[in-house]
Amino acid sequence: MMHDVRLGREFFARLLAIDAARAEQTRVAGCGYCEGPLSVGHYERKPRGALFASAGEEFTQRFSYCCSREGCRRRATPPSVRFLGRKVYLESAILVACALVPLIDDRARVIRIATGVAARTVRRWMTWWRTVFAASALWVELRSRAPSLDIDLVPGGMLAVFEGGSVEARLEAAMRFLSPLTTGPAWRSRSPRAAI
Ligand SMILES: [Zn+2]
């Protein structure tokens, strides 16, 4: 069951390695607007909740860069498997918290302790899955893989679509799948900013 999930250090290390590799690709490619050199402008993050007890320093930054060219200075934020939103919460926290949502009325405190995500925030994220995610190309792709998957069962039911012998493996596969949503114009223009 999702509420019994324990995420180990290796899991977090693997996610960090994926993000670090993508961040390096972004940095080397330079500014997407003017091709100017990029400098570091990482966002500070603070993972919370028992689920992340074994996560270390590697979860305190969302990789991001700024163009160093005068007059441009645009942001370049690579896609992430660690952070779904632009603010505090880790993607795995959001996925697990939302997967537990049928239990939310009587288990809100438990969910908060496990994931660090408050019940109110989980509810806002559930709206995100039903609106932003439901309108995305990723949802269309997911439905082509699992035609019987109903949007009302996302994200908990979505995890079953991804292969893996453990909850960690499924989570990782789901996070890789979702990572295009973590950056770019679609995220910027349609995110429920208050929710994150
Ligand atoms: Zn630039």
Side-chain angles (χ1 to χ4, degrees):
M1 287 293 288
M2 291 301 289
H3 58 274
D4 293 327
V5 69
R6 293 283 178 276
L7 301 175
R9 187 110 211 192
E10 278 175 28
F11 174 73
F12 298 120
R14 216 160 41 236
L15 299 183
L16 174 64
I18 294 167
D19 275 7
R22 287 175 167 178
E24 185 56 16
Q25 282 173 8
T26 298
R27 192 192 62 76
V28 168
C31 177
Y33 297 92
C34 75
E35 298 181 356
L38 296 176
S39 55
V40 166
H42 300 331
Y43 296 108
E44 298 303 314
R45 294 289 182 267
K46 217 180 266 180
R48 299 180 288 203
L51 195 62
F52 306 102
S54 58
E57 291 296 300
E58 62 265 47
F59 273 73
T60 57
Q61 284 183 329
R62 164 109 202 229
F63 298 134
S64 185
Y65 300 91
C66 294
C67 178
S68 343
R69 196 161 279 170
E70 202 63 55
C72 179
R73 303 278 186 197
R74 284 184 169 93
R75 277 270 172 191
T77 303
S80 173
V81 294
R82 297 175 302 157
F83 303 100
L84 185 58
R86 303 166 111 212
K87 300 243 167 88
V88 181
Y89 298 107
L90 293 180
E91 181 167 349
S92 39
I94 295 161
L95 278 169
V96 173
C98 291
L100 294 173
V101 85
L103 304 168
I104 198 148
D105 288 331
D106 53 338
R107 299 288 297 278
R109 202 179 133 269
V110 175
I111 294 170
R112 175 157 203 158
I113 291 168
T115 64
V117 184
R120 198 185 43 189
T121 308
V122 173
R123 290 197 190 95
R124 289 208 201 102
W125 272 105
M126 291 309 291
T127 303
W128 182 87
W129 293 108
R130 307 282 179 265
T131 54
V132 178
F133 180 71
S136 71
L138 288 182
W139 171 237
V140 175
E141 194 187 325
L142 197 60
R143 279 297 295 266
S144 71
R145 286 200 216 177
S148 62
L149 185 63
D150 192 282
I151 192 69
D152 288 334
L153 298 176
V154 169
M158 176 181 82
L159 294 177
V161 176
F162 296 99
E163 295 187 4
S166 64
V167 170
E168 288 186 358
R170 289 176 192 278
L171 266 179
E172 184 182 329
M175 289 153 82
R176 279 179 186 269
F177 175 78
L178 292 168
S179 65
L181 279 175
T182 63
T183 188
W187 176 255
R188 281 198 294 274
S189 60
R190 301 168 76 187
S191 65
R193 299 191 72 165
I196 52 174

